[in-house]
Amino acid sequence: MTDKGEDATTISIEVAQEPATRILGFAPLQLSDDIYNVVNDNLGRMIDDFGEKLLERYQTKLDPSRVEKLLNVCKYKLQHQQDYLFDEFDKYLVGDLLSVDPNVVLDEDRCQLTYSEKKAHLVEARIDTYTKRLVALNACSTLLDQRLAELRRIEKNLASFNRLLSDTVQTSFGVDSIDDLCLLVLERTKSLMRLCSEFRDGFDI
């Protein structure tokens, strides 16, 4: 069976890789499977790391169970897209990148070397699209790391300021905390108000 407008014979991908396997010493599809596993493992870790950092930053505002559901949806959708992408990548790998020159095989085996050029171009376009998406995802992860680092610095500065303020309160007013200082000020204000009231009443007499 041939594609219209192309002198290309449609054959199974497993058959198409046989000449390259014999010459290269390894199966191109096995290489594709190894790449697939590496990419999926790294994507899974990136999504898990994103979830952890999201909860660290918004732990008081986000429900962990809802975050987990969100991460599972992301993994499912990425898995589905990766499956399709690597099916096409298999064809690109066998039909173009690791294709065998017809001059190095017997005439009767050359039919196994023909593959669709149109499909190869489509695969290249999809690979470019997913590469851009991965770059964008990595940029988001980097930006999130920067924001988390800024929050940690702010948290550290606030803790230092709180310690300094507590030390100042203890040294200057002899109380242990800001709350104690507020109570002290309130009591002295009430005492002052009583004295003013008594002083005013004395003049009225």
Side-chain angles (χ1 to χ4, degrees):
M1 182 175 64
T2 59
D3 295 332
K4 291 182 179 180
E6 292 185 31
D7 294 329
T9 303
T10 301
I11 55 177
S12 71
I13 192 74
E14 290 77 11
V15 172
Q17 76 164 343
E18 289 178 2
T21 301
R22 290 196 297 269
I23 294 171
L24 298 174
F26 65 89
L29 292 182
Q30 183 59 53
L31 174 62
S32 178
D33 288 342
D34 292 340
I35 296 173
Y36 174 89
N37 291 332
V38 170
V39 170
N40 272 354
D41 288 345
N42 280 281
L43 281 176
R45 282 194 292 270
M46 287 177 65
I47 293 173
D48 290 337
D49 290 344
F50 172 76
E52 291 176 3
K53 291 175 181 177
L54 195 64
L55 287 175
E56 287 177 6
R57 183 172 182 180
Y58 301 106
Q59 55 184 336
T60 60
K61 298 180 180 179
L62 294 178
D63 182 356
S65 63
R66 293 178 66 87
V67 173
E68 183 177 0
K69 289 180 181 179
L70 172 64
L71 298 182
N72 288 336
V73 170
C74 290
K75 288 180 180 179
Y76 172 79
K77 289 187 176 295
L78 282 175
Q79 180 75 45
H80 180 71
Q81 292 176 340
Q82 290 298 102
D83 288 344
Y84 176 82
L85 173 64
F86 274 88
D87 283 343
E88 297 300 311
F89 179 70
D90 288 346
K91 299 172 186 177
Y92 172 70
L93 194 65
V94 173
D96 192 357
L97 188 62
L98 296 180
S99 61
V100 178
D101 191 309
N103 294 322
V104 302
V105 298
L106 299 175
D107 289 340
E108 58 267 26
D109 292 331
R110 290 185 182 180
C111 63
Q112 299 182 21
L113 306 179
T114 307
Y115 217 70
S116 172
E117 182 178 356
K118 181 174 68 176
K119 291 181 179 179
H121 290 318
L122 290 174
V123 171
E124 289 176 355
R126 292 191 65 83
I127 289 175
D128 182 64
T129 297
Y130 280 94
T131 298
K132 291 177 180 177
R133 291 180 182 177
L134 289 173
V135 169
L137 182 60
N138 186 58
C140 289
S141 178
T142 301
L143 181 61
L144 182 59
D145 288 339
Q146 293 172 351
R147 294 294 179 266
L148 287 173
E150 291 174 3
L151 286 174
R152 291 191 184 99
R153 285 195 295 270
I154 293 173
E155 183 180 15
K156 184 178 179 180
N157 291 337
L158 287 174
S160 298
F161 177 77
N162 186 53
R163 287 193 298 271
L164 177 61
L165 186 59
S166 296
D167 292 341
T168 301
V169 167
Q170 291 175 357
T171 303
S172 302
F173 301 98
V175 294
D176 295 330
S177 67
I178 298 295
D179 290 339
D180 292 339
L181 177 60
C182 291
L183 289 174
L184 178 62
V185 171
L186 180 61
E187 290 173 0
R188 293 188 177 182
T189 300
K190 289 180 178 179
S191 298
L192 182 60
M193 291 177 65
R194 283 196 299 270
L195 287 174
C196 290
S197 178
E198 292 172 0
F199 183 79
R200 188 172 53 251
D201 291 341
F203 272 99
D204 291 339
I205 294 174

